[in-house]
Amino acid sequence: MKKILDGKNLSNYIIYNIYKKIQKYKKIGYRLPTLAVILVGNNKSSLLYVKRKHIACKASGIISLAYNLPYSINNNTLLKLIDKLNKDNKIDGILIQFPLPLHINTNKILEIISPEKDVDGLSPYNIGRLCQRIPLLRPCTSLGIITLLSKYKINILGLNTLVIGASNIVGRPMSMELLLSGCTVTIIHRFTKNLSYYVKKADLVIVSVGKINFIYGNIIKYGAIVIDVGINYNYNGDIKGDINFNSVYNKSSYITPVPGGVGPMTISALMYNTFISYKKKINNNYIL
Ligand code: NAD
């Protein structure tokens, strides 16, 4: 159906194109791009996300190196590993699966990761570049959403947009991406009063809260574009988003499904970031 924004198909298409480009570099003698994937502990969702990232690397022609570390790892050991990966010329991207255990200083980790290898785009440097309208490596989920909207030729310039959720990983970078695309942006969070007042006025709503059925169609403006970032599990273990799909579907002009919407787009954005980080090295001629 036309109004469903199919992130799965688009993501596969992007990954296939990356694969083809990488093969061209390989043919002329360059090594393959390499992504280091760091997982700390064995959180069930994190294990699944990391597995999907390794699979996507394989499909893209990117070598993925798994660093599966125990939950008990300390700050210093993790910092030393990142330092080593920063210095390794054969590593193009470093991906740290979040959340990290509470005893790990996440901010410190993000600060020391080399900005050119920060393929998740979450380091203060890359977030700062995005804020200043000179993005380099852009956070994957918001980049994936912008790519999805643009590939469907949805013109968002000047739209009244609402981001629900203000996390460092999704909500904040999303608001910066929308601003960069010429939208008027409102961002709301757990302390916002009267959520429905904001939702009813929005032409484009992006929901990243982490609660099943958080938004129903009754407060959605007719014809709004609705993007569901949530990944939640119901009592049957099925994956559900943050919106009540059926009721929102009836009111919206475009909508993302869960699964098959934003999730795959996040992964193809990661592949894209890894590829551009690699390509930059090729252009600087220090990759062979
Ligand atoms: P988070 O838990 O870090 O942040 C949740 C945000 O929701 C906070 O800013 C909080 O203030 C806000 N919030 C909570 N209750 C609210 C309320 N009643 N009204 C308004 N705002 C409220 O979450 P996150 O990392 O942004 O993740 C959110 C969801 O998105 C989760 O389900 C997560 O699994 C999913 N996620 C999906 C992807 C993807 O690729 N599809 C990527 C990252 C996160």
Side-chain angles (χ1 to χ4, degrees):
M1 261 170 288
K2 191 172 167 237
K3 73 190 268 179
I4 292 187
L5 301 173
D6 183 345
K8 194 173 173 198
N9 257 326
L10 178 55
S11 170
N12 287 341
Y13 174 77
I14 292 170
I15 285 175
Y16 179 61
N17 276 307
I18 292 173
Y19 173 81
K20 283 197 297 191
K21 286 181 184 148
I22 291 173
Q23 293 315 302
K24 281 189 187 158
Y25 286 115
K26 192 181 163 195
K27 262 193 188 148
I28 53 173
Y30 289 106
R31 66 162 174 81
L32 293 173
T34 303
L35 174 67
V37 181
I38 301 177
L39 171 68
V40 180
N42 54 7
N43 172 286
K44 197 178 133 210
S45 302
S46 293
L47 281 166
L48 180 69
Y49 300 150
V50 161
K51 188 175 161 199
R52 286 189 184 150
K53 288 168 188 174
H54 285 299
I55 292 171
C57 279
K58 202 165 177 207
S60 309
I62 294 171
I63 296 171
S64 65
L65 303 177
Y67 292 85
N68 296 334
L69 309 169
Y71 185 87
S72 58
I73 192 167
N74 63 35
N75 273 289
N76 265 352
T77 314
L78 191 52
L79 289 169
K80 270 186 198 151
L81 171 65
I82 294 169
D83 186 46
K84 196 181 102 189
L85 297 171
N86 278 342
K87 288 174 181 151
D88 185 339
N89 265 339
K90 288 206 164 61
I91 303 283
D92 304 293
I94 303 170
L95 182 277
I96 300 155
Q97 184 62 43
F98 294 114
L100 290 170
L102 288 177
H103 66 270
I104 299 290
N105 185 341
T106 298
N107 288 337
K108 185 81 193 153
I109 300 288
L110 284 171
E111 264 166 24
I112 75 140
I113 186 168
S114 161
E116 310 90 71
K117 297 190 181 188
D118 167 35
V119 285
D120 232 357
L122 296 172
S123 68
Y125 180 81
N126 281 317
I127 292 286
R129 296 280 307 210
L130 178 61
C131 290
Q132 293 185 336
R133 297 186 266 184
I134 41 171
L136 285 174
L137 292 169
R138 295 151 69 175
C140 296
T141 302
S142 43
L143 174 59
I145 292 170
I146 292 292
T147 308
L148 186 61
L149 292 167
S150 112
K151 287 280 163 65
Y152 272 86
K153 299 194 176 5
I154 300 171
N155 183 8
I156 60 170
L157 186 79
L159 289 194
N160 185 17
T161 62
L162 177 69
V163 180
I164 312 181
S167 66
N168 283 353
I169 294 180
V170 184
R172 285 165 198 259
M174 190 71 245
S175 66
M176 287 300 131
E177 285 284 358
L178 292 171
L179 207 48
L180 193 62
S181 297
C183 299
T184 301
V185 186
T186 303
I187 178 158
I188 65 174
H189 45 75
R190 73 178 81 238
F191 302 121
T192 302
K193 296 184 180 98
N194 202 353
L195 168 133
S196 64
Y197 165 81
Y198 296 97
V199 180
K200 281 176 181 167
K201 293 197 300 183
D203 305 313
L204 166 60
V205 185
I206 294 175
V207 194
S208 183
V209 170
K211 293 178 184 166
I212 293 181
N213 289 333
F214 185 71
I215 297 288
Y216 278 85
N218 61 331
I219 57 170
I220 294 288
K221 184 176 169 179
Y222 264 108
I225 303 153
V226 184
I227 306 291
D228 190 348
V229 181
I231 301 178
N232 313 292
Y233 295 89
N234 70 6
Y235 41 83
N236 292 325
D238 303 325
I239 295 181
K240 297 281 173 194
D242 284 353
I243 62 172
N244 179 271
F245 186 84
N246 290 337
S247 64
V248 174
Y249 180 87
N250 293 331
K251 296 280 285 289
S252 58
S253 57
Y254 290 100
I255 185 169
T256 57
V258 176
V262 176
M265 290 307 298
T266 300
I267 292 187
S268 55
L270 174 69
M271 299 301 113
Y272 172 78
N273 277 348
T274 307
F275 175 64
I276 58 169
S277 163
Y278 164 81
K279 215 171 91 176
K280 203 170 166 198
K281 285 203 183 120
I282 287 176
N283 293 335
N284 289 335
N285 271 329
Y286 58 87
I287 198 164
L288 274 172

Short mmCIF file of all heavy atoms in Angstrom, two decimals, residues 234-268:
data_model
loop_
_atom_site.label_atom_id
_atom_site.label_comp_id
_atom_site.label_asym_id
_atom_site.label_seq_id
_atom_site.Cartn_x
_atom_site.Cartn_y
_atom_site.Cartn_z
N ASN A 234 5.39 -7.13 23.25
CA ASN A 234 4.16 -7.33 24.02
C ASN A 234 4.25 -8.66 24.79
O ASN A 234 5.27 -9.36 24.74
CB ASN A 234 2.92 -7.23 23.11
CG ASN A 234 2.80 -8.42 22.16
OD1 ASN A 234 3.57 -9.37 22.24
ND2 ASN A 234 1.83 -8.37 21.27
N TYR A 235 3.16 -9.01 25.49
CA TYR A 235 3.20 -10.20 26.35
C TYR A 235 3.42 -11.50 25.57
O TYR A 235 3.85 -12.50 26.12
CB TYR A 235 1.91 -10.29 27.20
CG TYR A 235 0.68 -9.93 26.42
CD1 TYR A 235 0.04 -10.87 25.62
CD2 TYR A 235 0.18 -8.62 26.43
CE1 TYR A 235 -1.06 -10.53 24.86
CE2 TYR A 235 -0.93 -8.28 25.68
CZ TYR A 235 -1.54 -9.22 24.89
OH TYR A 235 -2.62 -8.88 24.12
N ASN A 236 3.15 -11.47 24.22
CA ASN A 236 3.41 -12.67 23.39
C ASN A 236 4.83 -12.70 22.86
O ASN A 236 5.21 -13.62 22.15
CB ASN A 236 2.49 -12.69 22.16
CG ASN A 236 1.05 -12.90 22.54
OD1 ASN A 236 0.78 -13.64 23.48
ND2 ASN A 236 0.15 -12.24 21.83
N GLY A 237 5.57 -11.65 23.15
CA GLY A 237 6.94 -11.57 22.62
C GLY A 237 6.98 -10.96 21.22
O GLY A 237 8.02 -10.97 20.56
N ASP A 238 5.83 -10.44 20.73
CA ASP A 238 5.81 -9.82 19.40
C ASP A 238 6.36 -8.39 19.49
O ASP A 238 6.17 -7.71 20.50
CB ASP A 238 4.38 -9.71 18.85
CG ASP A 238 3.69 -11.06 18.79
OD1 ASP A 238 4.40 -12.06 18.52
OD2 ASP A 238 2.47 -11.12 19.04
N ILE A 239 7.00 -7.97 18.39
CA ILE A 239 7.53 -6.60 18.36
C ILE A 239 6.42 -5.62 18.01
O ILE A 239 5.68 -5.81 17.04
CB ILE A 239 8.68 -6.49 17.32
CG1 ILE A 239 9.87 -7.35 17.77
CG2 ILE A 239 9.12 -5.04 17.13
CD1 ILE A 239 11.07 -7.31 16.86
N LYS A 240 6.31 -4.58 18.83
CA LYS A 240 5.30 -3.53 18.59
C LYS A 240 5.98 -2.17 18.69
O LYS A 240 6.94 -1.99 19.44
CB LYS A 240 4.20 -3.60 19.66
CG LYS A 240 3.41 -4.89 19.65
CD LYS A 240 2.37 -4.88 18.54
CE LYS A 240 1.70 -6.23 18.41
NZ LYS A 240 0.94 -6.38 17.19
N GLY A 241 5.42 -1.21 17.98
CA GLY A 241 5.95 0.15 18.05
C GLY A 241 5.33 0.94 19.18
O GLY A 241 4.78 0.37 20.12
N ASP A 242 5.41 2.26 19.09
CA ASP A 242 4.86 3.14 20.12
C ASP A 242 3.44 3.60 19.78
O ASP A 242 2.75 4.15 20.63
CB ASP A 242 5.73 4.40 20.27
CG ASP A 242 7.02 4.12 21.02
OD1 ASP A 242 7.18 3.01 21.54
OD2 ASP A 242 7.87 5.04 21.10
N ILE A 243 3.06 3.44 18.49
CA ILE A 243 1.74 3.95 18.13
C ILE A 243 0.74 2.79 17.98
O ILE A 243 1.14 1.66 17.74
CB ILE A 243 1.78 4.77 16.81
CG1 ILE A 243 2.23 3.90 15.63
CG2 ILE A 243 2.66 6.01 16.95
CD1 ILE A 243 2.10 4.60 14.29
N ASN A 244 -0.51 3.13 18.14
CA ASN A 244 -1.56 2.15 17.87
C ASN A 244 -1.80 2.18 16.36
O ASN A 244 -2.45 3.09 15.85
CB ASN A 244 -2.82 2.53 18.65
CG ASN A 244 -3.95 1.56 18.38
OD1 ASN A 244 -4.72 1.76 17.45
ND2 ASN A 244 -4.00 0.50 19.16
N PHE A 245 -1.23 1.20 15.67
CA PHE A 245 -1.11 1.27 14.22
C PHE A 245 -2.45 1.46 13.51
O PHE A 245 -2.60 2.36 12.69
CB PHE A 245 -0.40 0.02 13.68
CG PHE A 245 -0.11 0.11 12.21
CD1 PHE A 245 1.03 0.75 11.74
CD2 PHE A 245 -1.00 -0.42 11.28
CE1 PHE A 245 1.28 0.86 10.38
CE2 PHE A 245 -0.75 -0.31 9.91
CZ PHE A 245 0.39 0.33 9.46
N ASN A 246 -3.43 0.63 13.83
CA ASN A 246 -4.68 0.67 13.07
C ASN A 246 -5.38 2.02 13.17
O ASN A 246 -5.83 2.57 12.17
CB ASN A 246 -5.63 -0.45 13.51
CG ASN A 246 -5.07 -1.80 13.08
OD1 ASN A 246 -4.27 -1.88 12.13
ND2 ASN A 246 -5.46 -2.86 13.78
N SER A 247 -5.47 2.56 14.38
CA SER A 247 -6.18 3.83 14.52
C SER A 247 -5.40 4.99 13.90
O SER A 247 -5.97 5.89 13.30
CB SER A 247 -6.51 4.12 15.99
OG SER A 247 -5.32 4.27 16.73
N VAL A 248 -4.07 4.94 13.98
CA VAL A 248 -3.27 6.01 13.38
C VAL A 248 -3.28 5.90 11.85
O VAL A 248 -3.33 6.89 11.14
CB VAL A 248 -1.82 6.00 13.94
CG1 VAL A 248 -0.94 7.01 13.22
CG2 VAL A 248 -1.81 6.27 15.44
N TYR A 249 -3.30 4.66 11.36
CA TYR A 249 -3.31 4.43 9.91
C TYR A 249 -4.48 5.15 9.24
O TYR A 249 -4.33 5.78 8.20
CB TYR A 249 -3.42 2.91 9.65
CG TYR A 249 -3.43 2.55 8.19
CD1 TYR A 249 -2.25 2.36 7.49
CD2 TYR A 249 -4.64 2.40 7.50
CE1 TYR A 249 -2.26 2.03 6.14
CE2 TYR A 249 -4.65 2.09 6.16
CZ TYR A 249 -3.46 1.90 5.48
OH TYR A 249 -3.47 1.59 4.15
N ASN A 250 -5.64 5.09 9.87
CA ASN A 250 -6.83 5.70 9.28
C ASN A 250 -6.74 7.22 9.15
O ASN A 250 -7.39 7.81 8.31
CB ASN A 250 -8.07 5.35 10.12
CG ASN A 250 -8.36 3.86 10.03
OD1 ASN A 250 -8.04 3.23 9.02
ND2 ASN A 250 -8.91 3.30 11.09
N LYS A 251 -5.94 7.85 9.99
CA LYS A 251 -5.87 9.31 9.96
C LYS A 251 -4.68 9.84 9.15
O LYS A 251 -4.68 10.98 8.70
CB LYS A 251 -5.71 9.85 11.41
CG LYS A 251 -6.86 9.56 12.33
CD LYS A 251 -8.05 10.49 12.17
CE LYS A 251 -7.96 11.88 12.71
NZ LYS A 251 -7.96 11.99 14.15
N SER A 252 -3.66 9.02 8.99
CA SER A 252 -2.39 9.53 8.45
C SER A 252 -2.32 9.45 6.93
O SER A 252 -3.05 8.68 6.31
CB SER A 252 -1.23 8.73 9.06
OG SER A 252 -1.41 7.37 8.75
N SER A 253 -1.40 10.24 6.36
CA SER A 253 -1.15 10.13 4.92
C SER A 253 -0.05 9.10 4.67
O SER A 253 -0.08 8.36 3.69
CB SER A 253 -0.74 11.48 4.34
OG SER A 253 0.39 11.98 4.99
N TYR A 254 0.94 9.07 5.55
CA TYR A 254 2.02 8.09 5.48
C TYR A 254 2.29 7.59 6.89
O TYR A 254 2.17 8.34 7.86
CB TYR A 254 3.31 8.72 4.94
CG TYR A 254 3.26 9.08 3.48
CD1 TYR A 254 3.03 10.40 3.09
CD2 TYR A 254 3.46 8.12 2.49
CE1 TYR A 254 2.99 10.75 1.75
CE2 TYR A 254 3.43 8.46 1.15
CZ TYR A 254 3.20 9.78 0.78
OH TYR A 254 3.17 10.11 -0.54
N ILE A 255 2.72 6.36 6.96
CA ILE A 255 2.97 5.77 8.28
C ILE A 255 4.05 4.70 8.16
O ILE A 255 4.15 4.03 7.12
CB ILE A 255 1.64 5.18 8.84
CG1 ILE A 255 1.79 4.66 10.27
CG2 ILE A 255 1.08 4.10 7.94
CD1 ILE A 255 0.45 4.32 10.93
N THR A 256 4.87 4.54 9.20
CA THR A 256 5.86 3.45 9.18
C THR A 256 5.34 2.27 10.00
O THR A 256 4.78 2.46 11.08
CB THR A 256 7.22 3.89 9.78
OG1 THR A 256 6.99 4.37 11.11
CG2 THR A 256 7.90 4.94 8.95
N PRO A 257 5.52 1.05 9.50
CA PRO A 257 5.13 -0.13 10.29
C PRO A 257 6.22 -0.49 11.29
O PRO A 257 7.37 -0.08 11.15
CB PRO A 257 5.02 -1.22 9.23
CG PRO A 257 6.02 -0.82 8.17
CD PRO A 257 6.11 0.68 8.19
N VAL A 258 5.87 -1.25 12.29
CA VAL A 258 6.86 -1.86 13.19
C VAL A 258 6.48 -3.33 13.32
O VAL A 258 5.35 -3.62 13.73
CB VAL A 258 6.86 -1.20 14.59
CG1 VAL A 258 7.84 -1.93 15.52
CG2 VAL A 258 7.19 0.28 14.50
N PRO A 259 7.32 -4.27 12.95
CA PRO A 259 8.65 -4.07 12.38
C PRO A 259 8.59 -3.69 10.89
O PRO A 259 7.51 -3.69 10.31
CB PRO A 259 9.30 -5.45 12.57
CG PRO A 259 8.15 -6.42 12.59
CD PRO A 259 6.97 -5.69 13.16
N GLY A 260 9.74 -3.36 10.33
CA GLY A 260 9.81 -3.12 8.89
C GLY A 260 9.80 -1.65 8.50
O GLY A 260 9.65 -1.33 7.33
N GLY A 261 9.92 -0.76 9.48
CA GLY A 261 9.95 0.67 9.16
C GLY A 261 11.29 1.29 9.49
O GLY A 261 12.26 1.16 8.74
N VAL A 262 11.35 1.93 10.67
CA VAL A 262 12.57 2.66 11.06
C VAL A 262 13.73 1.72 11.40
O VAL A 262 14.89 2.04 11.11
CB VAL A 262 12.25 3.59 12.27
CG1 VAL A 262 13.50 4.28 12.77
CG2 VAL A 262 11.18 4.61 11.88
N GLY A 263 13.45 0.58 12.00
CA GLY A 263 14.52 -0.34 12.42
C GLY A 263 15.50 -0.67 11.30
O GLY A 263 16.71 -0.43 11.42
N PRO A 264 15.01 -1.20 10.16
CA PRO A 264 15.93 -1.52 9.06
C PRO A 264 16.64 -0.28 8.51
O PRO A 264 17.79 -0.36 8.07
CB PRO A 264 15.03 -2.13 7.98
CG PRO A 264 13.75 -2.45 8.64
CD PRO A 264 13.64 -1.68 9.90
N MET A 265 15.95 0.88 8.54
CA MET A 265 16.58 2.11 8.03
C MET A 265 17.75 2.53 8.91
O MET A 265 18.74 3.08 8.44
CB MET A 265 15.55 3.25 7.95
CG MET A 265 14.50 3.08 6.88
SD MET A 265 15.15 2.76 5.23
CE MET A 265 16.09 4.25 4.90
N THR A 266 17.65 2.26 10.21
CA THR A 266 18.74 2.57 11.14
C THR A 266 19.97 1.74 10.76
O THR A 266 21.10 2.23 10.75
CB THR A 266 18.31 2.26 12.59
OG1 THR A 266 17.18 3.06 12.90
CG2 THR A 266 19.41 2.53 13.59
N ILE A 267 19.72 0.49 10.42
CA ILE A 267 20.83 -0.41 10.09
C ILE A 267 21.48 -0.01 8.76
O ILE A 267 22.71 0.03 8.65
CB ILE A 267 20.36 -1.87 10.11
CG1 ILE A 267 20.03 -2.21 11.57
CG2 ILE A 267 21.41 -2.81 9.53
CD1 ILE A 267 19.70 -3.63 11.85
N SER A 268 20.66 0.33 7.76
CA SER A 268 21.29 0.72 6.48
C SER A 268 22.03 2.05 6.63
O SER A 268 23.03 2.29 5.94
CB SER A 268 20.29 0.74 5.32
OG SER A 268 19.20 1.56 5.60
#
